[in-house]
Each structure stands twice: as C-alpha cells, then as structure tokens.
C-alpha cells in the first residue's frame, strides 16, 4: 500500500523527492552518517556533507557532517531552528554570544537569528527548521504591508 505524496495547502503536490514528506519517516542515523562519509562530497575536501531527511513545506530535518575546523558562514533562516549535536563539538556564534554545543546537546534559536557555525572537531548534527505557514509565499506573507 503506497501513501500519497504531501500536498501543499494550495493543493499542489510535492513532486521533487516526495518520499521526503511521507506520513511516517524513520532513520538509522549511524547508517546515514556512514553513507555520508562514503560520498564524493565528503572525500572531495569541501569540509562538509549533508542529507535532507525530511522536507515538509513547513518543517525540514537535515543531517550534516563537518570536518574539524570547517564552518558555515554567517547566515540566518526565516524560521526557528534547532541544532542537535550527534558527534563531535560545535561552536555557534550569535550576535552577542558564542555557544559551544558538544555531542548530546541540543540548542534552539528563535526566528531569523543570524548565526555562524564551526566544527571544532569532526562533527555530525541534525538541523531542524520550522516555518510558520506552509508555502514560501505563506512564510513571507507576514513581511508584506497590510492595507
């Protein structure tokens, strides 16, 4: 029995990799990390490799693997996020503070907070992203002036 692909509130179906939005998703994280370590992107020397595990319109989960002393440059997401460190140790630089996140710890950031992330040693972590509304248009509607 197959399950239907996720439908956006507009009725449009998720066409690109619809299996990332199935009603039930389960992952063996050690196996997913083993696969990431075997991919060309990891061996190429870019310093990181990632895989999107879940991709609903209003919620994503991404598994990230970073080599020691690599970083994600300062950025923000128009969403709330959490970072759960599975292996290693991360440093997250916020506007007015620096937070170290060792394996086994979880941190959450409120909506659109700028941050920079560094792997202090080889590290694996899960990023969850949660947006208000479903579609990109709905997520950005709050920015539009109201008449």
């Amino acid at each position: 029995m197959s399950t239907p692909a996720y439908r956006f509130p507009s009725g449009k179906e998720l066409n690109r990799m619809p299996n990332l939005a199935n009603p039930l998703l389960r992952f063996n994280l050690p196996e997913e990390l083993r696969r990431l370590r075997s991919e060309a992107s990891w061996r190429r020397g870019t310093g990181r490799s990632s895989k999107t595990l879940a991709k609903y319109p209003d919620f994503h989960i991404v598994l990230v693997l970073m080599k020691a002393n690599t970083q994600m440059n300062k950025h923000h997401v128009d969403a709330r996020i959490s970072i759960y460190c599975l292996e290693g140790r991360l440093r997250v630089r916020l506007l007015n503070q620096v937070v170290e996140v060792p394996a086994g710890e979880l941190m959450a950031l409120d909506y659109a907070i700028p941050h920079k992330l560094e792997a202090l040693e080889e590290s694996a972590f899960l990023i969850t992203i949660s947006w208000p509304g479903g579609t990109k248009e709905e997520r950005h509607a709050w920015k539009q002036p109201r008449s």
Side-chain angles (χ1 to χ4, degrees):
M1 178 172 163
S2 65
T3 54
Y6 186 89
R7 285 189 184 275
F8 291 89
S10 65
K12 181 180 175 185
E13 285 190 16
L14 179 66
N15 294 320
R16 187 169 177 259
M17 297 188 280
N19 59 314
L20 295 180
N22 282 341
L24 171 65
L25 298 170
R26 292 181 63 184
F27 303 96
N28 179 319
L29 295 177
E31 179 60 22
E32 295 293 345
L33 286 170
R34 186 196 64 72
R35 285 186 197 132
L36 279 178
R37 285 184 173 101
S38 69
E39 289 185 2
S41 61
W42 181 248
R43 294 188 310 270
R44 213 175 18 244
T46 60
R48 71 176 181 236
S49 189
S50 63
K51 179 180 181 182
T52 300
L53 301 176
K55 191 172 184 177
Y56 302 97
D58 60 348
F59 181 77
H60 292 190
I61 301 173
V62 181
L63 178 62
V64 182
L65 182 62
M66 290 178 66
K67 293 183 179 177
N69 304 311
T70 59
Q71 57 189 291
M72 290 183 183
N73 292 327
K74 186 176 177 181
H75 64 283
H76 78 277
V77 181
D78 288 336
R80 289 185 175 92
I81 68 167
S82 71
I83 301 169
Y84 176 62
C85 188
L86 297 163
E87 299 176 0
R89 190 164 48 106
L90 305 169
R91 179 177 292 144
V92 182
R93 294 182 184 276
L94 306 171
L95 291 176
N96 297 318
Q97 72 185 99
V98 176
V99 179
E100 290 204 9
V101 185
E105 284 197 11
L106 170 75
M107 71 174 287
L109 292 176
D110 201 1
Y111 194 87
I113 294 179
H115 58 282
K116 176 180 178 179
L117 193 142
E118 305 167 63
L120 301 175
E121 55 194 69
E122 185 176 301
S123 300
F125 54 99
L126 288 171
I127 297 175
T128 57
I129 307 166
S130 176
W131 290 274
T135 66
K136 184 175 181 180
E137 293 76 21
E138 289 170 327
R139 293 194 301 261
H140 293 280
W142 68 272
K143 295 180 185 178
Q144 306 303 317
R146 297 188 190 258
S147 48

